[in-house]
Amino acid sequence: MRESINNHSFFVSKMKRFVYIFGIILLAGVLAGCSASKKGASNIGKQEMKAAKARYETVVNRNFDYEYLSAKVKYSLKGKSLGGKLNIEHGKRLCMTVTLLGIEVARVEADEDVLLVVDKFDKVFAALPIAEAVSKLGLQEEAKLETLEALLLGRIYIPGDGTASAKDFKRLTWTLQDDQTLVGRCARNKYLLDYTIGADDYLTQTQVSMPDSHARFIWKYASPISIEGGSMPGVETLSGEGEGKQLSAQLTLSAPSVAKKNWNSFTPTSGYREVTFAELLTILKNLKN
């Protein structure tokens, strides 16, 4: 009995961390979906511009096509880790699972319509209509699942249009830093979206910032993995800050595959109970205590 209680308390703590991690993912994805108000204009010279364009094309040419993608995931926060899996059906849905002792105990699913968080340990789930979340930010027409895919796969995303291609270089404002990193910016009213290309010509960071509220979300990429003639990050560090609060987490991806669909969306049985997101967090808090 004591071992069961300890395992349950361990899971609750991990589940809360997982929800927080995905909160960063979702919010950054929603904000990065804002539409650009105008095309960018570079502030670097003609020769530097030519070199910058070549570096940009090197980055976007590493994008690979896929219909389904899966990878193992390790979630790390405050020195503690938990395993799971990432599954994506391109442009349609995404699922991130959490496992404990090899058994799936929780998952987060998202499509264009709904964000779903499932606590399989306690047989409860919460569903949030995406429209409800983005309407509060005034981004009903801009938030796309493809934005979230681009963040997870370390890709440059052109707001309002989709994953960037070679022809989109001039749609960003480019700045060459002293350390030879190249930063491309998309600006829109209250939001700034910055992509950083490292000296090794890989995308190393995506940043969404809101100057008015002094909030920002940073997604750093490292340890690229080769796949399908292209690449994706092997290590991703997420951080967010605003209103005096800070949060940081890390995702480690491994064994990526573009094999055919091998996962099913969650369908609640009679043994599951639907709750609100507020109720779900309260359940987790009470169980931990």
Side-chain angles (χ1 to χ4, degrees), residues 158-257:
I158 300 299
D161 286 332
T163 302
S165 64
K167 65 180 178 60
D168 294 312
F169 174 74
K170 290 185 178 180
R171 303 189 65 182
L172 301 173
T173 301
W174 294 96
T175 302
L176 183 63
Q177 307 293 329
D178 291 339
D179 60 359
Q180 297 305 303
T181 58
L182 188 65
V183 179
R185 167 167 290 186
C186 168
R188 176 186 183 268
N189 297 331
K190 298 181 179 180
Y191 309 105
L192 298 175
L193 175 59
D194 293 313
Y195 295 107
T196 301
I197 297 175
D200 58 356
D201 293 344
Y202 279 88
L203 184 68
T204 60
Q205 180 174 295
T206 296
Q207 176 174 296
V208 184
S209 55
M210 291 143 284
D212 289 348
S213 61
H214 303 290
R216 66 174 180 169
F217 301 87
I218 300 175
W219 203 298
K220 293 184 177 181
Y221 305 105
S223 305
I225 305 171
S226 296
I227 176 175
E228 295 295 303
S231 69
M232 60 181 282
V235 177
E236 307 183 7
T237 303
L238 299 67
S239 61
E241 59 183 49
E243 298 182 351
K245 298 180 180 179
Q246 294 184 337
L247 182 63
S248 180
Q250 186 177 87
L251 305 179
T252 301
L253 303 174
S254 61
S257 171

Side-chain angles (χ1 to χ4, degrees), residues 121 132 144 146 172 175 186 191 280:
F121 201 104
E132 178 181 324
K144 302 294 182 182
E146 188 179 359
L172 301 173
T175 302
C186 168
Y191 309 105
L280 178 60

Side-chain angles (χ1 to χ4, degrees), residues 43 60 99 109 126 224 245 253 280:
N43 61 0
V60 298
T99 58
E109 291 185 13
K245 298 180 180 179
L253 303 174
L280 178 60

Side-chain angles (χ1 to χ4, degrees), residues 66 88-94 144-155 163:
Y66 67 95
I88 301 175
E89 183 175 359
H90 179 53
K92 296 182 179 180
R93 57 183 181 149
L94 179 149
K144 302 294 182 182
L145 188 63
E146 188 179 359
T147 313
L148 188 52
E149 291 184 36
L151 282 168
L152 285 166
L153 297 181
R155 298 182 174 186
T163 302

Side-chain angles (χ1 to χ4, degrees), residues 3-286:
E3 180 179 359
S4 176
I5 292 175
N6 289 338
N7 284 340
H8 186 261
S9 182
F10 173 80
F11 162 68
V12 170
S13 175
K14 294 295 186 180
M15 178 61 182
K16 290 184 73 175
R17 292 190 176 98
F18 180 65
V19 172
Y20 294 155
I21 290 171
F22 198 82
I24 294 179
I25 295 174
L26 179 67
L27 185 53
V30 168
L31 292 177
C34 63
S35 294
S37 58
K38 59 182 179 179
K39 293 184 179 180
S42 175
N43 61 0
I44 59 179
K46 185 176 181 179
Q47 291 302 315
E48 290 177 326
M49 170 75 86
K50 184 177 180 180
K53 185 173 186 293
R55 295 176 63 183
Y56 165 84
E57 290 177 351
T58 296
V59 171
V60 298
N61 286 339
R62 291 196 184 97
N63 295 345
F64 56 91
D65 295 328
Y66 67 95
E67 183 177 3
Y68 300 100
L69 183 142
S70 64
K72 294 181 180 179
V73 183
K74 181 174 74 173
Y75 311 98
S76 302
L77 184 65
K78 295 182 179 180
K80 298 183 179 180
S81 301
L82 194 65
K85 196 166 186 179
L86 166 68
N87 290 291
I88 301 175
E89 183 175 359
H90 179 53
K92 296 182 179 180
R93 57 183 181 149
L94 179 149
C95 176
M96 299 179 74
T97 66
V98 181
T99 58
L100 181 62
L101 301 178
I103 300 173
E104 182 181 322
V105 293
R107 66 165 54 191
V108 172
E109 291 185 13
D111 58 24
E112 293 285 5
D113 301 314
V114 178
L115 169 68
L116 187 71
V117 178
V118 184
D119 173 358
K120 290 191 172 183
F121 201 104
D122 298 294
K123 300 291 184 180
V124 295
F125 69 96
L128 175 67
I130 298 298
E132 178 181 324
V134 299
S135 64
K136 296 179 180 179
L137 297 171
L139 300 174
Q140 296 92 326
E141 300 300 324
E142 295 90 349
K144 302 294 182 182
L145 188 63
E146 188 179 359
T147 313
L148 188 52
E149 291 184 36
L151 282 168
L152 285 166
L153 297 181
R155 298 182 174 186
I156 295 175
Y157 183 88
I158 300 299
D161 286 332
T163 302
S165 64
K167 65 180 178 60
D168 294 312
F169 174 74
K170 290 185 178 180
R171 303 189 65 182
L172 301 173
T173 301
W174 294 96
T175 302
L176 183 63
Q177 307 293 329
D178 291 339
D179 60 359
Q180 297 305 303
T181 58
L182 188 65
V183 179
R185 167 167 290 186
C186 168
R188 176 186 183 268
N189 297 331
K190 298 181 179 180
Y191 309 105
L192 298 175
L193 175 59
D194 293 313
Y195 295 107
T196 301
I197 297 175
D200 58 356
D201 293 344
Y202 279 88
L203 184 68
T204 60
Q205 180 174 295
T206 296
Q207 176 174 296
V208 184
S209 55
M210 291 143 284
D212 289 348
S213 61
H214 303 290
R216 66 174 180 169
F217 301 87
I218 300 175
W219 203 298
K220 293 184 177 181
Y221 305 105
S223 305
I225 305 171
S226 296
I227 176 175
E228 295 295 303
S231 69
M232 60 181 282
V235 177
E236 307 183 7
T237 303
L238 299 67
S239 61
E241 59 183 49
E243 298 182 351
K245 298 180 180 179
Q246 294 184 337
L247 182 63
S248 180
Q250 186 177 87
L251 305 179
T252 301
L253 303 174
S254 61
S257 171
V258 293
K260 294 183 179 179
K261 171 187 173 184
N262 61 357
W263 61 288
N264 295 311
S265 296
F266 171 74
T267 301
T269 63
S270 58
Y272 278 85
R273 178 168 60 95
E274 183 172 7
V275 297
T276 65
F277 268 82
E279 289 172 330
L280 178 60
L281 292 177
T282 298
I283 289 172
L284 295 176
K285 181 179 179 180
N286 289 341

